[in-house]
Amino acid sequence: MALDFIDISRAYFHADAIRGVYVKLPPEDDEPGKCGRLQRAMPGTRDAAQRWERKYSSFMLECGFTQGKSNPCVFHHVNRCMRAVVHGDDFTVLASSVNLDWFRDSIGSVLQAKFRHRLHRSMPEATRILNRVLQVVEDGIEYEADQRHAELI
């Protein structure tokens, strides 16, 4: 098993806007009495996070994942023996390398994704995710606390 860390670029812009949200046009397009209506969700609008959650949830369900009942950000793919957690625009996926490659291809074809790192026993280097350092050690994975939180404690 290995862990993939995937970051979605400009995640909210992948989700369709459902309300009529109007914005001021940029200076090069600005005309008196004119404004723009958003076709995609935009960070800072009330429904942006909700629309993004619906976008990635429907993608995961289409790929064959089951959404968690107690936490809608947790997904499980029974046939491929995969688990995934979504935190904002960051995906952490646990599976075999073959299935992680399948997931990378699937998500990369639909969303603008950056594949940050893959942790595996054969690749013991560390990675940083959500301001925390993860590293493969002899008997598992070492998870370092966010330094700002550790200082508070």
Side-chain angles (χ1 to χ4, degrees):
M1 301 292 267
L3 278 170
D4 251 4
F5 301 97
I6 302 169
D7 182 50
I8 304 301
S9 301
R10 301 177 353 181
Y12 291 157
F13 295 116
H14 289 287
D16 294 329
I18 55 170
R19 293 184 308 123
V21 178
Y22 296 88
V23 295
K24 184 176 180 179
L25 294 170
E28 63 270 12
D29 295 325
D30 196 18
E31 293 180 32
K34 300 274 182 170
C35 64
R37 182 174 184 194
L38 294 179
Q39 294 180 344
R40 301 282 184 180
M42 186 171 90
T45 58
R46 273 190 260 156
D47 54 350
Q50 176 192 38
R51 299 303 306 154
W52 166 239
E53 182 184 344
R54 287 196 180 151
K55 175 71 176 181
Y56 75 72
S57 294
S58 63
F59 163 75
M60 296 295 278
L61 295 173
E62 287 171 12
C63 286
F65 284 86
T66 303
Q67 194 166 21
K69 292 179 183 173
S70 64
N71 186 336
C73 301
V74 176
F75 295 87
H76 180 232
H77 196 301
V78 176
N79 297 337
R80 292 186 176 269
C81 194
M82 298 178 75
R83 302 224 182 249
V85 175
V86 182
H87 184 274
D89 63 353
D90 293 312
F91 286 69
T92 303
V93 187
L94 174 69
S96 67
S97 291
V98 170
N99 285 326
L100 290 175
D101 291 340
W102 167 81
F103 187 74
R104 279 185 174 198
D105 291 342
S106 298
I107 199 167
S109 69
V110 177
L111 302 171
Q112 189 178 353
K114 288 186 272 184
F115 305 106
R116 299 187 56 195
H117 200 82
R118 180 173 289 175
L119 278 183
H120 190 274
R121 238 178 244 278
S122 64
M123 298 176 273
E125 66 268 4
T127 189
R128 180 176 290 278
I129 185 79
L130 300 172
N131 280 336
R132 291 159 177 88
V133 177
L134 279 85
Q135 182 174 2
V136 175
V137 292
E138 190 174 311
D139 56 344
I141 295 176
E142 198 172 81
Y143 185 80
E144 183 181 300
D146 182 337
Q147 189 61 35
R148 294 171 296 180
H149 296 156
E151 289 171 6
L152 290 172
I153 295 172

